[in-house]
Amino acid sequence: MPHIPFGVDMDLLSGALHNPAHHLVRKASDMRGYYADANALDALIRTGNDPLHYEVFEAPIPRESGDLMVCISALQPGRVGEECFMTKGHYHTIARTAEVYLCLRGEGLMLMKTAGGDCAVETMARGRMVYVPPGWAHRSVNTGPEPLVCFCVYPADAGHNYGDIEVQGFPKRVIRKNGDIQLLETAL
Ligand code: PAN
Ligand code: ZN
């Protein structure tokens, strides 16, 4: 791909980018193993017609050192049992790479952890930026009734490493119970 300047149009409400180079779609069935209540996820897949969980639209940028990947994502509202819809979460393969999330719509939480056992949580809301430093795995969680739409920028060669997250998850789970958002400590 040649390195020439370009512009793209985005729909900041739905969280879409026109003519994306990549369009990642994750449905409920792609999230097996991630939620505490596997039966509730199975029920959602069967009776809810395997609903959309989240989408990520990436701009046409080479995954090369020196480039910045730009994407927009939309995480749907909903719950699996009591647990709020969330992304899989990942480390960057190149650990020294950070990421900026600018929230454009909705409400949520960003869960972050390091391989050394540190954990952090930041709120996400329209107009709020969350900075994910190098070495921190990150997962976004939609705690509200609308799609959680974010604009993200990170080094284009960073790569995604789902590492231990698929097995161990994060030290906290986010649930909505009786209308309240609660953070539950998990036994890692
Ligand atoms: C984001 C994420 C996006 C999807 O663009 O890739 O929110 O999350 P998962 O990759 O964990 O499924 C990002 O953090 N990129 O580096
Ligand atoms: Zn990332």
Side-chain angles (χ1 to χ4, degrees), residues 26 54 56 71 87-90 92 99 101 138 154 160 162:
R26 291 214 209 279
Y54 56 99
V56 184
C71 62
T87 61
K88 289 186 172 186
H90 58 266
H92 290 165
E99 183 157 354
Y101 274 72
H138 40 288
Y154 58 96
H160 295 86
Y162 293 88

Side-chain angles (χ1 to χ4, degrees), residues 162-179:
Y162 293 88
D164 65 17
I165 293 166
E166 192 169 356
V167 179
Q168 294 187 350
F170 280 71
K172 294 176 196 296
R173 288 190 180 275
V174 183
I175 65 165
R176 185 159 56 80
K177 199 171 185 174
N178 304 325

Side-chain angles (χ1 to χ4, degrees), residues 2-171:
H3 279 81
I4 51 172
F6 69 95
V8 292
D9 295 309
M10 286 180 280
D11 183 332
L12 305 187
L13 191 63
S14 69
L17 188 144
H18 294 220
N19 300 318
H22 293 100
H23 177 203
L24 173 77
V25 178
R26 291 214 209 279
K27 303 176 96 177
S29 56
D30 297 310
M31 300 301 291
R32 285 196 170 96
Y34 282 88
Y35 290 99
D37 190 341
N39 291 334
L41 183 66
D42 277 344
L44 182 68
I45 294 165
R46 268 186 286 107
T47 60
N49 201 22
D50 196 9
L52 175 66
H53 238 65
Y54 56 99
E55 293 173 279
V56 184
F57 297 82
E58 291 181 358
I61 292 166
R63 296 176 190 278
E64 292 177 12
S65 171
D67 279 297
L68 293 172
M69 180 48 70
V70 170
C71 62
I72 189 164
S73 61
L75 171 60
Q76 296 304 308
R79 283 183 299 167
V80 175
E82 294 177 330
E83 198 170 356
C84 298
F85 276 14
M86 62 189 184
T87 61
K88 289 186 172 186
H90 58 266
Y91 292 95
H92 290 165
T93 310
I94 298 179
R96 65 175 183 276
T97 55
E99 183 157 354
V100 166
Y101 274 72
L102 175 61
C103 184
L104 302 170
R105 181 183 176 192
E107 299 157 40
L109 293 171
M110 178 73 82
L111 304 182
M112 290 167 277
K113 72 169 186 176
T114 65
D118 296 312
C119 178
V121 183
E122 280 293 331
T123 57
M124 303 173 85
R126 179 176 166 76
R128 186 168 169 83
M129 185 280 289
V130 175
Y131 183 71
V132 181
W136 287 77
H138 40 288
R139 160 182 287 167
S140 30
V141 184
N142 188 341
T143 57
E146 294 184 9
L148 179 66
V149 176
C150 294
F151 176 75
C152 302
V153 182
Y154 58 96
D157 59 344
H160 295 86
N161 169 14
Y162 293 88
D164 65 17
I165 293 166
E166 192 169 356
V167 179
Q168 294 187 350
F170 280 71

